[in-house]
Amino acid sequence: MSGRSVYRGCALILGLPLLCWGNRVPPLVESGDLVFRTGDEAISSVITSMDSSGFSHVGILYLDHQQYYVIHATPAEHPGARDEVVVDTLEFFKARAKYHRVAYYHVSAPELAHRVAVNAALAQRGRPFSVLDARGIYCTELVDQAWAAAGYPLTQGRKTLHLPGATVELILPQHLIASPRLKNIAETQ
């Protein structure tokens, strides 16, 4: 039985999807894998209106001293924080998930590539969050760049967004999820 089916079965039997694994991650998840959520930020509604995946946000899982963290580019989620690339605990990341919906995706790549992707994402810590400004970066772009640096590009397409005075090519969560290198391990609903 796969980790995904075990996780879904647990959710169905107990009816409490986030309590099934508690603060642990599902089996088969590794540092460098991806975790998606639908966020509670204002921009999340805009993203989900354009994206077919049902998610608005993604981060890279990072295992450090037996604790999972998420590296992600986000509008400020902590009081007094800036809009930037941050490292949050997995528990904090999941707590911000609208409807408690979180999905874990394994990236099919060697362990070394996972480490390179994590380090590339960590190197961006503190970089401003921005969808429009080239000096900034947004969540899916962070994931795309980190995995491209590891030699395993994930993005499958982009969405053209026409704004007053600007045309932007966005990477949406669906453009990552469509990658043949990603495998859904577990999902809460």
Side-chain angles (χ1 to χ4, degrees):
M1 185 178 277
S2 74
R4 180 177 177 181
S5 58
V6 168
Y7 192 74
R8 285 191 181 278
C10 186
L12 292 173
I13 292 168
L14 298 177
L16 300 170
L18 282 179
L19 297 179
C20 183
W21 292 108
N23 289 332
R24 298 177 303 137
V25 298
L28 310 177
V29 170
E30 301 174 22
S31 191
D33 286 343
L34 308 184
V35 58
F36 290 83
R37 74 174 189 208
T38 298
D40 58 3
E41 304 87 3
I43 195 169
S44 293
S45 297
V46 175
I47 299 301
T48 55
S49 72
M50 297 184 289
D51 184 88
S52 64
S53 73
F55 295 106
S56 64
H57 193 57
V58 63
I60 297 177
L61 287 161
Y62 166 50
L63 180 63
D64 186 35
H65 296 97
Q66 303 302 312
Q67 166 118 14
Y68 270 99
Y69 296 89
V70 179
I71 310 159
H72 59 129
T74 184
E77 296 182 323
H78 297 276
R82 297 181 333 189
D83 300 350
E84 63 186 1
V85 176
V86 297
V87 178
D88 282 316
T89 64
L90 177 59
E91 292 78 26
F92 180 84
F93 184 88
K94 291 189 315 185
R96 297 297 303 258
K98 193 174 185 179
Y99 311 121
H100 303 289
R101 184 166 182 235
V102 175
Y104 298 88
Y105 280 77
H106 174 68
V107 180
S108 296
E111 184 181 336
L112 176 59
H114 279 248
R115 285 196 306 266
V116 170
V118 166
N119 288 333
L122 286 170
Q124 297 294 325
R125 192 178 348 195
R127 185 173 175 187
F129 168 85
S130 178
V131 175
L132 301 176
D133 186 348
R135 290 172 293 165
I137 195 167
Y138 56 97
C139 66
T140 49
E141 186 179 35
L142 174 68
V143 169
D144 177 62
Q145 288 181 10
W147 273 99
Y152 289 83
L154 301 177
T155 301
Q156 301 291 304
R158 294 176 187 259
K159 169 85 172 169
T160 303
L161 185 60
H162 301 283
L163 301 171
T167 298
V168 182
E169 295 288 322
L170 293 178
I171 303 166
L172 298 173
Q174 71 187 21
H175 298 130
L176 294 173
I177 290 172
S179 173
R181 289 192 175 98
L182 291 189
K183 178 183 179 193
N184 186 320
I185 298 172
E187 189 171 320
T188 64
Q189 296 190 53

